[in-house]
Amino acid sequence: MADKNWLNENEKWLKTIVSLVDTELGQSAKTELYDAITKMSGEKPTTVDSTSTHQIVLATTENQNLISHQLFDRLNDEGYIIRTITEHEKPTILLSAKTDKGLLYASFHFLRLIQTKQHLGSLNIVENPKNQLRMINHWDNMDGSIERGYAGKSIFFENNAFTTNLERIKDYARILSSVGINAISINNVNVHTVETKLITDEFLPDVATVANIFRSYGIQTFLSINYASPIQLGQLTTADPLDPTVRNWWKEKAKDVYRFIPDFGGFVVKADSEHRPGPFTYERNHADGSNMLAEALEPFGGIVIWRCFVYNCMQDWRDRKTDRARAAYDHFKPLDGQFYDNVVLQIKNGPMDFQVREANSPLFGAMTKTNQILEFQVTQEYTGQQIDLCYLISQWKEILEFDTFAAGAGTPIKRIVDGSTFENKISGIAAVSNIGNDDNWTGHQLAQANLYGYGRLIWNPDLSTEVITDEWVRATFGHDPEVVEHVTAMLFDSWPIYENYTSPLGVGWMVNPNHHYGPNVDGYEYSVWGTYHFADNEGIGVDRTVSSGTGYTAQYFKENKEIYESLEICPDDLLLFFHHVPYTHKLQSGVTVIQHIYNTHFEGVEQAIGLMERWSLLKDKVDEERYQNVMNRLNQQIENAKQWRDMINTYFFRKSGIKDEKNRTIY
Ligand code: BDP
C-alpha cells in the first residue's frame, strides 16, 4: 500500500494504463503494472483511453509518436525510457523501449518508483542493463532436493518428475524478471542419473513447459548437462570430444532440444570437477570439450557455459606444493584464444569456493580472448545457510570494484565481466539461487535481500549498496523510519559480523565437513579437498607467495601481485590467505594475529546479540509472522556464534599457549 500523502499527490497518474503492445511480453508488462497498481492504490486502473486526465502509456519505439525516435538510439535491446510528458494534450507517463522485453523492465522500474515514493510528475529515465547475461543457476535435483539449498525443496521437481505447481514457477519468473534476470538454468551442475535424461524426449516436453513460463517474463532457459551423456543415454562407448560419433551425437541432441524449445539458451557444464566426467578422461582439454558442445549448439544460437571450478579434489594433505587456489588459472589461462565464440567460461568470484572472505579470482582479466562470466553464490553455503544473517551485496560490490589492472589501472572486475574491457561477445554474471518452496522463498526473511540485491547489482554494478538496500527495505517493510533504519543497519553489519565470529583474516574452511555449517577447525585439515590452514603451535596461514610459497600471487597482474606478496602491505583481511605467520605477527591494525582472533570472536558474539536486540525493537512494527521468522533465526545465530567463538578461541589458545590480553573466558 503506497503512503497516503504520496498517493494523494500522485494517484492521478495511476488511473489509466494504455498498452499499445500486444505481444506476450507486452501482456506481462501490462498485467504486472495493472495488478500492482490495483494493490498499491486500492483502485483498478482502466486500460482504455478513458476520461481520466492523466495516463500511463506502454509502447515500443515504432508504435509511439510521443517522443523523438532519436532518443531510442541510446538504448540497447533490453533498455528503456520512462518519461513524463506533460506538455502533451493528455499528461502522460510513457514507458517505452525498442523491444517488448525492455518494456517489461520499464514496468518493473515504474513500480519501484511507486514503492519508493518517487514523484511521478517529472520523470526522465533512460536505463540499459550493464551486463548482457544476468543469470540464476539452480542446484535442484529431480528428487526435489536442492544441493546447498536452505529454503525447503525444489520448486521445479519432486519425486523424480516435474512439479505440477506451475503457478509457483510463474511467481518465481516474475520475481526474477522484476530485478532484470534474463537467464536461468533449472537443474544442478552435478547432473545425476535421472537429470541426465532432461535432454531426452522423456522430459523435454516438461522442460518446454517451464521454458514457456520463463519466456513470458523475458528469461531464457538453460540446462546443466552430464558430459558423459553420449555413453549414458546414447549407448556410445566414449564421450571423447574429438570422436566424430560423439560430435554427431551432440549435434542430433541439440536438434532434439531445439525442436521442443526454439529459444533454448544452451548448456551449463561442470566437467572434470569433483568427480564429474569431462574431457580429461580422453586426454583432451577444456577447449576440446566445450567446443564440441558449442559446435552442436551454434546452428540454433545456443551457448555453452563452461565452469572453471576445476581442481584436484583428491589431494594428499602432505603435499605442500599443490595449491587449490592456483587450479582454475593453471587449467584455463593456457587455453586463451582456443574457445569458440559461443563458449563462455564461468568463473567463481574467488579461487577457492565462495568463502566468507577470500581473494578474487586472478582469472578475471587474464584471458583477453575468451568470453567470461562471473559466478556468485546467493545461497549461503559458507555464509550462514540462511540461519545466520549475512547480507552479501556488500561482499559482491567489493569484488566487482576490485581493480585487476588487466588493462592498466582502472580495470575493475565489473568492467571485465560486462565485456567492455576486451569486447567479448558474451559476458555477464551468474549466481546460485537461494530459493526453495518455503512460503517466504528464502527461509530467512531477510535473505530475500540477497536475491533482490543480486539482480539489481548485476543490472548495474555501479549502483551503490546503499541505494539497493534502501529499495529492498522499503519495498519489503514500508517506510517507517525506525524500521528502515534498523533493518538497513542489520543488513549492513551482518557480513562483517559473520566474518568476525567465523573466519579470521581470510583463512576460510574451518567448517564442519560436508554440510559446512558450524565450526570445525581441523575438519578439512587432513582431507583430500586442498583446503588447509596449516595451523601449528607457532603460526597459521597459507604461504602463497612466489618467494617462499606456492607461487599463487604471480597469477595476479603486477600491481596486485606486489601487494599480496608483501607481508607488510598485504591487507589484514586476507593476510592468512596469502601468508603463513606466527601468532605474534603484528597486523597493520596494530594487534597481533592471535589477539585479533580472540577479539573478533568475542566481539562477533556480542554483535550477533546486538542484531537480535535491534530486531526486537521492531516487534510492534513488523507483522508477527515475519517478526518471528527473523527472531527465531537470530536466536539460532547467537548459539552458532558462541559455538564458533569458543571452539576457535580454545583451539588457538591450546595450540599457541598465548593468553587473551583481556583475560576473557577461553576453555
Ligand atoms: C561447492 C559445493 C558443491 C558444489 C560445488 C560446485 O559445496 O556442492 O557442487 O561447489 O560449485 O561449493 O560445483
Side-chain angles (χ1 to χ4, degrees):
M1 182 73 184
D3 171 78
K4 277 248 163 55
N5 289 337
W6 180 91
L7 203 54
N8 286 342
E9 274 173 52
N10 290 281
E11 68 184 338
K12 58 180 181 286
W13 292 104
L14 306 177
K15 305 268 187 216
T16 304
I17 303 171
V18 179
S19 175
L20 306 177
V21 185
D22 206 22
T23 61
E24 194 179 24
L25 286 169
Q27 290 288 354
S28 297
K30 179 173 146 192
T31 309
E32 289 300 321
L33 271 188
Y34 183 88
D35 290 350
I37 288 176
T38 305
K39 282 204 186 105
M40 291 193 281
S41 71
E43 265 179 62
K44 289 185 177 167
T46 65
T47 53
V48 284
D49 205 350
S50 71
T51 50
S52 67
T53 52
H54 295 60
Q55 63 179 354
I56 299 167
V57 172
L58 282 160
T60 49
T61 323
E62 68 260 24
N63 58 25
Q64 70 79 35
N65 53 15
L66 297 169
I67 57 174
S68 151
H69 281 208
Q70 271 173 358
L71 288 168
F72 292 83
D73 293 347
R74 291 157 66 192
L75 296 186
N76 66 26
D77 281 350
E78 295 183 303
Y80 54 84
I81 288 172
I82 301 178
R83 200 178 252 228
T84 317
I85 310 162
T86 39
E87 70 275 18
H88 196 68
E89 60 192 64
K90 183 181 256 191
T92 295
I93 295 177
L94 174 69
L95 274 56
S96 196
K98 283 181 174 166
T99 64
D100 48 4
K101 194 173 172 190
L103 219 49
L104 180 61
Y105 295 141
S107 292
F108 283 123
H109 189 135
F110 184 69
L111 294 175
R112 227 168 16 245
L113 297 177
I114 300 177
Q115 282 183 306
T116 49
K117 297 203 288 191
Q118 313 287 315
H119 283 279
L120 306 180
S122 54
L123 300 172
N124 185 5
I125 294 166
V126 179
E127 270 282 326
N128 288 303
K130 291 251 166 42
N131 284 298
Q132 184 193 118
L133 198 60
R134 303 179 301 278
M135 187 166 196
I136 274 288
N137 296 157
H138 275 260
W139 286 0
D140 294 27
N141 301 314
M142 289 193 71
D143 65 3
S145 64
I146 303 177
E147 184 155 335
R148 312 310 178 185
Y150 310 105
K153 297 272 189 191
S154 173
I155 63 161
F156 297 111
F157 310 114
E158 54 199 27
N159 301 324
N160 291 323
F162 274 78
T163 176
T164 49
N165 187 354
L166 300 180
E167 270 310 300
R168 181 82 177 187
I169 298 177
K170 183 175 171 196
D171 284 341
Y172 188 45
R174 298 172 55 220
I175 290 175
L176 293 180
S177 177
S178 75
V179 288
I181 301 291
N182 65 3
I184 186 166
S185 58
I186 59 172
N187 65 305
N188 191 357
V189 287
N190 296 315
V191 186
H192 308 296
T193 312
V194 186
E195 295 80 0
T196 299
K197 293 193 279 184
L198 280 168
I199 52 173
T200 66
D201 286 10
E202 185 179 343
F203 288 123
L204 279 169
D206 296 321
V207 180
T209 304
V210 170
N212 291 344
I213 298 173
F214 282 117
R215 182 182 307 107
S216 63
Y217 281 88
I219 300 166
Q220 232 185 345
T221 299
F222 289 68
L223 290 172
S224 298
I225 56 107
N226 178 346
Y227 193 80
S229 296
I231 302 173
Q232 276 181 250
L233 299 174
Q235 274 99 46
L236 301 192
T237 52
T238 175
D240 180 352
L242 299 191
D243 184 312
T245 55
V246 174
R247 297 181 89 90
N248 210 42
W249 188 88
W250 279 111
K251 283 184 188 157
E252 291 304 313
K253 190 40 73 191
K255 274 188 209 156
D256 282 352
V257 175
Y258 281 88
R259 213 162 21 91
F260 285 95
I261 310 151
D263 63 343
F264 181 68
F267 297 145
V268 175
V269 194
K270 172 175 178 176
D272 289 317
S273 163
E274 300 183 330
H275 309 294
R276 303 313 301 156
F280 285 174
T281 310
Y282 312 97
E283 290 174 19
R284 313 294 185 200
N285 65 30
H286 290 281
D288 300 326
S290 55
N291 288 344
M292 170 195 60
L293 296 171
E295 184 184 74
L297 294 170
E298 196 274 337
F300 309 98
I303 66 172
V304 177
I305 301 180
W306 190 271
R307 296 176 81 234
C308 294
F309 187 57
V310 178
Y311 66 97
N312 176 7
C313 66
M314 294 299 286
Q315 195 179 322
D316 185 339
W317 60 268
R318 299 168 194 86
D319 162 16
R320 298 288 294 257
K321 292 236 159 54
T322 304
D323 177 4
R324 171 165 164 181
R326 294 186 55 121
Y329 185 102
D330 284 345
H331 281 294
F332 286 91
K333 162 84 179 159
L335 302 177
D336 192 20
Q338 295 181 33
F339 294 93
Y340 289 179
D341 68 0
N342 60 331
V343 174
V344 57
L345 300 184
Q346 179 162 310
I347 307 168
K348 286 191 181 183
N349 61 267
M352 298 298 282
D353 194 9
F354 302 134
Q355 296 300 287
V356 182
R357 188 182 294 275
E358 59 179 293
N360 298 313
S361 173
L363 256 190
F364 295 115
M367 301 178 75
T368 59
K369 299 187 278 292
T370 304
N371 297 317
Q372 44 187 282
I373 62 175
L374 183 155
E375 177 176 337
F376 286 132
Q377 196 183 41
V378 189
T379 194
Q380 292 172 239
E381 177 178 358
Y382 293 97
T383 51
Q385 305 203 348
Q386 283 140 252
I387 297 170
D388 301 31
L389 183 63
C390 192
Y391 186 50
L392 294 166
I393 311 309
S394 331
Q395 187 198 61
W396 300 333
K397 182 77 182 164
E398 250 181 59
I399 294 164
L400 291 167
E401 297 297 339
F402 176 76
D403 197 350
T404 63
F405 292 89
T411 320
I413 288 181
K414 66 181 177 185
R415 294 285 167 259
I416 291 173
V417 299
D418 72 7
S420 60
T421 304
F422 299 117
E423 294 181 1
N424 303 109
K425 188 174 153 221
I426 312 169
S427 55
I429 301 184
V432 187
S433 180
N434 65 347
I435 70 107
N437 70 357
D438 275 4
D439 282 349
N440 68 3
W441 296 92
T442 52
H444 196 312
Q445 180 71 36
L446 301 183
Q448 288 178 1
N450 284 331
L451 184 61
Y452 178 88
Y454 167 69
R456 296 288 292 132
L457 183 64
I458 69 168
W459 175 276
N460 180 6
D462 298 334
L463 282 177
S464 72
T465 312
E466 285 74 12
V467 165
I468 294 173
T469 312
D470 194 64
E471 281 176 10
W472 182 81
V473 172
R474 288 173 191 277
T476 307
F477 290 106
H479 299 269
D480 182 315
E482 258 185 84
V483 177
V484 172
E485 181 199 325
H486 291 306
V487 177
T488 304
M490 288 172 70
L491 292 173
F492 267 90
D493 294 345
S494 60
W495 175 43
I497 293 175
Y498 193 76
E499 183 176 21
N500 273 348
Y501 64 78
T502 58
S503 47
L505 308 168
V507 76
W509 295 106
M510 301 191 299
V511 291
N512 280 306
N514 307 320
H515 62 74
H516 300 163
Y517 188 75
N520 188 340
V521 184
D522 284 338
Y524 277 109
E525 197 58 14
Y526 304 99
S527 75
V528 292
W529 296 94
T531 52
Y532 315 115
H533 52 64
F534 300 121
D536 58 20
N537 65 329
E538 281 166 9
I540 176 174
V542 192
D543 185 351
R544 296 196 156 104
T545 62
V546 172
S547 61
S548 54
T550 67
Y552 166 76
T553 56
Q555 294 184 344
Y556 291 92
F557 288 89
K558 190 170 144 281
E559 292 81 353
N560 288 323
K561 187 221 147 183
E562 280 168 6
I563 293 173
Y564 294 143
E565 181 76 15
S566 152
L567 195 52
E568 285 69 46
I569 56 173
C570 178
D572 282 351
D573 55 18
L574 286 173
L575 186 76
L576 303 182
F577 191 88
F578 286 104
H579 297 272
H580 185 91
V581 297
Y583 294 113
T584 50
H585 174 83
K586 213 171 217 174
L587 297 168
Q588 293 174 51
S589 69
V591 298
T592 60
V593 167
I594 190 73
Q595 196 54 44
H596 175 95
I597 293 176
Y598 297 151
N599 290 351
T600 51
H601 285 81
F602 283 114
E603 201 185 323
V605 173
E606 295 312 311
Q607 291 171 313
I609 294 169
L611 286 175
M612 186 272 291
E613 286 169 352
R614 237 190 218 283
W615 184 249
S616 70
L617 299 174
L618 304 181
K619 181 151 179 37
D620 299 326
K621 296 188 174 246
V622 172
D623 58 275
E624 184 61 17
E625 195 179 333
R626 291 193 292 182
Y627 180 78
Q628 275 311 333
N629 168 276
V630 175
M631 191 45 107
N632 291 343
R633 281 164 202 256
L634 288 169
N635 283 323
Q636 290 180 61
Q637 172 168 2
I638 292 169
E639 288 315 304
N640 187 39
K642 286 181 182 163
Q643 186 77 350
W644 273 94
R645 174 195 65 192
D646 294 338
M647 278 213 194
I648 300 284
N649 285 346
T650 302
Y651 178 99
F652 287 105
F653 171 60
R654 290 183 187 173
K655 276 255 149 148
S656 70
I658 302 172
K659 287 207 171 115
D660 172 32
E661 282 169 3
K662 298 186 187 161
N663 261 324
R664 290 162 289 195
T665 307
I666 296 180
Y667 297 89

